[in-house]
Amino acid sequence: MPSRNDGPALLKRRSAKPFAGNLRLRRLTKAYLEPLDDNNKEMSPTVAKIDQIYDLTQELIVQCQSVTSGLFPRYSKDRDVGYVKDSIYCAMACWACSVAYKRLDDDRGRQTELRQTAVKTMRGILFSWMQQSKNLDAFKSQNSSEFALHARFDLSSGMGLETPNDDLHYGHLQMDLVALYLLTLVQMISAGCKVIYTHHEVNFIQNLVFYIERTYRTPDFGMWERGTRYNNGKPELHASSLGMVKAALEAINGFNLYGSTGTSASVIYVDIDGHNRNRTTFETILPRESNSKNTDAALLMTVGWPAFATHDETLFEKTMQKCVRRLEGRFGLRRFHRDGFRTELEDNSKSFYDEHETAQFQGVESQFPIFLACISLTAYIRANQEYGDIYFKKLQKCLVADETVPGGYIVPECYCVDEFIMDKEREQPNSTELYALSHQEFGHHLWSNAIYIILMLKREGLIHSGDIDPINRHLPASQRPKMFNRHSAFQGSMEGDPVVQVALISESPRLQMMLSTYGITTQTPHEVEPVQIWPSWRMVKVFECLGRDKKLDLSGRPQRPFGPLSTSKVFRVFGDTVLCYPLLFEVKDFYVSSDPAVLIDDIKRDIEFVARRWKLAGRPTMCVVLREENVAGEYFDHILDLLVQLKNGHINGIRVRLGRVHQLLNSCCIEHIDFANSDDLEFDIDIMEETHDNSAIFSRLSLKEGYDDDMTHEKDVTPRTDHELFQIIEKDDMERPRLLAFAIWILWSRTHPDLLVHNFTLRERLEKVYRRACQLRLWWLVRYCAGRLHKAMNSLAPAITNMLVRGKQITLGVRNRPGAREEIIVRPIAPSDLNRLLFECCPADEPQAAVFHQELIIACSDLMSHNPQVFEGVLTIRLSWLSDAISMLLNYVRITGALKFSGVSTGTPPTPGTTGIPTELDFIRKLIRTKYRREKVIEEFKKSCIYDLSPTVVKDVVTALMTRTNWHLLSSLQTRRLNGALNRMPVNFYDRVWTILERSTHGIIIADQFLPQQPTLSDMTRFELTFSYKIEAMLSRISHPEYRQLLVELLSIIATILERNPEIAFTHSRIDCDSLIKKGFALFAAEEGIKDLNDLTPFYQLEGQALSTSTATFLTKAVVEFILAGRHFSQVINIFGEGTPEEKTLPSQHHRGKMPKIAYTGRASSEKKKRHVGGSSSSSQHHHHHQQQQTPLLRLATPLTPEPSSGTVTPRAITPSPLSSSLNTSGGGGQDESCRLQ
């Protein structure tokens, strides 16, 4: 046996003479026997980076996933609750890491592992939501948080939490959450992941689309699950939710959930009109987040990654910069102002805050580094490397050490302000050191670290923009690769507007022949066969099959009407080609379309709208239906003008192509309906067919001016017996249509609407009277029947939403009437609830009011969309007062003066002596734009009631009121009344009231209502709409518009005095505005010798700009006397004038002197001018040194001599009278109102 010393020699001999077989074996197995350390040294830097991030993903993300449900918790140490939103971002991190391994030649199985982890999460969420399919189906008809899909589940089972009491106050209604899921689903399937397995799951996803389609009128709790800024359990409309929904709808429209191998049965459909309303609402709200949040960090993930909801560079930059400017701190971004989440002051035992609790969080909000990662990732994806690096470096400074994870650093959830240094932080923002929320207590925050992982992959070049955004959301739609399929997916914007194809369909051969004599070629329904012409409601019936699933108890698409974009598609259904005509050509639609002038305007508007908003492949094709009742009669020439414009190829600057239906099919947008079966449908609406001479439609000759028995009143018919009423109805005499309508309604109210009278129910008979009145254009009777039948416009809810998102409120109903009330709409509302509210708030004995208010809503919404600046200064649209304003304006343009309309009650009885304008005809000629409308309006202005006016005239008068066309022809009282009725405010009015409240220790009394200084100032901020709404609610209690306007003028005067005299502060008593107005009137009455101090009419009639005799003169005197009597000065004034006024306002200065001398001055001087008299420049102070020793003067707002009128008032001149323009020239009124609205 060899000794130990012989060992080395033996090994040497063996190595020197190896066996041939062993040598060969060693060479073959050498690569597999190398130590692991040596192999790592040879790995490429790319593989090493990916492996390092893989280890981090495993440690921070994957290990926290539930093995059963696939969901993720919010914090790594949580073992009970899985959150859907956090799970989606964790799935995105796993998927992004798998994509990075896909680029390697040898991924060692990690790509599949990570991809399937993400798929399990997406399917786990799908499983959890499918357990709530009944809630989903109920939500489609009732947009209530009660039926919202849950945002968190049991982590192990994926079912709803077993402790519903803990979940009762949780904000589950999060539209952005469902939209984020759909968007991520599309991205992953586009990248090759298989997520959806069965047709039942396809149907469920289709219903999720229905769930989010009406987000534009669905207030939710937003990304932070708390609703309004006050965390009081109330939802509101969020721009972040709307943007995420917009992106999801664009991504999933026409998308096949089975991927490239799927059939037409797995394609998802989107209502493009619903998408357009979400898009319009979203772009209108930006850069605001909501009414209570001026901005919000949630917008960063909406306009940037992952949604990329807007590609308007101006809007993108404006939103991003506003978030950064107002929310960024040293350690991240705040979620929003006065956010108490994770602050030391927040009471975690309460679900909601107390009423005045949010004020304590001002300036000490927690800062979240996750938003730095979002900004950096968005910049990298948009190829802005420099900007991305800046925010990545900021993020690196916010990381905290954790030795338990690879790399040793993680992203904390937030940084908090220590309770002991909060006062210092409030005084000097970003001056203190914040501490990171300890991850040792809760565990690390998965959402933050998931985004951090994606950011590192992108920054290191391990994945490209197209890898985590395979559908190219980050690119403008026009730059994305074209995807061709047989379904109408969004194809993006094209250069310029598309050509709108128009098919003219005549309802009868006789009408076709008559139009052909004028060179207009049309087709009848018989001539276009086999193409069928359908009413849009028939196609709605077909789409009810979409997404229907009996096993899941899903009913399919709700009965939502088709808008102009949807009806511009050509449908292939049951083997037939179908063309749908828009709602405005529906016979059973709201009566406004029976007015040919409205119909002409609507056709032009729809063509323009479709051209501007069309985002699909192929040209839009619009079907224009011509009916004898609309073409024949006095408006024939104007209908003919429209048809000639269509034939010439241009209308309102839009290119149109008129042609035969079969020619237009070659270039149209075709939607294939593969989800419906003809055996499952029972239509209750027929397709359009030709009508002949023996039809019920009246010929042109019979459409003469109908006879209206306007001397018949309902109160005269009410005493009749049922037998007499039955005889009147049986006779069916349309020579006395009002008598017939009254008889039907009275018998209806005594019995029931389904009572048969000769084979026709009362409802059917009243509907017949309604249709006949529409054809004869008897507008009073039309509105009466529509009110009794509870007719409602289809576009009412979108119109309300359009105004709400622009910061307006709408007040429905009538005040001070029995059985009626006013209701303020401050958030979007479902159509059914809106219709019910309209008819409940309006008086039952005046059914026309409810339908007339609908006309006003549509008129205001259309005007606001096309000319939003005319509503500047109008925060609340009060429909009853707008009706009164129309009555006033029509009264004012009559030669006989102000006469009260019969048949409608106005809130403000006319005051004698309000005439004084040139002539009726002169005013009308300047009021109405077009000649044929002027002639019509001159006729209609002579009618006795606003309900006799045609819908066209109503829209024109509303436009004239809001644009203040030729208001210089009106008297001061008339102008004051109209401005008050329209609720028009001066520029910065609410900011100036805020200024008054800041310097009024004991508050303000407005219209007998007390507004305290605290907690008003602490609860609200100058930038939000909530304060404006509070002031508006107080002013809405006033029943006379002229008094309201006088109150506005008084507050403007007080604000101007305070702005120009910083030493004044109301510290001893309240500001009683009503008493000051009475005092001002008493001064005027004493000067003029007026004894009756109860009638303010002479005061209302004063000119607003007269130097010596104006309301401003006497109101200013009243305010000055109040200031002097109460000694409302915040400091002693130096009568020798030493130092500038700016120095006098400093707290460190102490002045002694007498009461200030009062003098009236003109407009506010510029900022460079000195506030004391004679101090216009520094040079003048040297030349006139003695002026510095004069007594300081109290600078007041005194109106100037009126300038010559230019004949028109621009829409931007929104002050109620020339008085307020002189009061608002000073810039001290705080932020401009645009700051609040943006």
Side-chain angles (χ1 to χ4, degrees), residues 73-119:
R74 180 153 290 175
Y75 303 99
S76 59
K77 293 185 178 181
D78 188 359
R79 297 293 182 266
D80 301 320
V81 182
Y83 290 83
V84 175
K85 187 171 298 176
D86 303 66
S87 298
I88 294 174
Y89 281 102
C90 290
M92 293 170 73
C94 296
W95 170 55
C97 198
S98 76
V99 173
Y101 273 108
K102 188 177 180 180
R103 292 181 170 275
L104 299 180
D105 182 46
D106 180 17
D107 61 6
R108 290 162 285 170
R110 293 181 174 181
Q111 176 202 344
T112 304
E113 174 195 356
L114 291 169
R115 185 187 68 232
Q116 293 308 111
T117 300
V119 169

Side-chain angles (χ1 to χ4, degrees), residues 1053 1056-1057 1060 1104-1108 1110 1112-1113 1116 1159-1164 1194-1201 1219 1222-1223:
I1053 289 172
T1056 303
I1057 292 175
R1060 300 180 185 180
Q1105 281 190 322
L1107 185 60
S1108 58
S1110 69
T1113 302
T1116 303
Y1160 294 108
T1161 64
R1163 292 180 179 266
L1194 181 61
R1195 301 183 67 85
L1196 305 175
T1198 307
L1200 299 178
T1201 305
L1219 159 72
S1222 66
L1223 297 179

Side-chain angles (χ1 to χ4, degrees), residues 336-351:
F336 52 88
H337 285 299
R338 296 191 177 183
D339 172 32
F341 181 68
R342 290 301 184 197
T343 62
E344 293 190 2
L345 299 177
E346 185 181 45
D347 184 358
N348 294 323
S349 64
K350 299 186 303 183
S351 298

Side-chain angles (χ1 to χ4, degrees), residues 510-511 514 518 628-629 631-637 697-705:
R510 180 177 58 189
L511 180 59
M514 182 183 69
Y518 295 92
E628 291 189 11
E629 62 183 84
V631 174
E634 57 190 312
Y635 282 93
F636 174 74
D637 292 341
I697 303 298
F698 295 90
S699 66
R700 179 184 181 185
L701 297 178
S702 66
L703 282 176
K704 57 186 178 182
E705 189 70 26

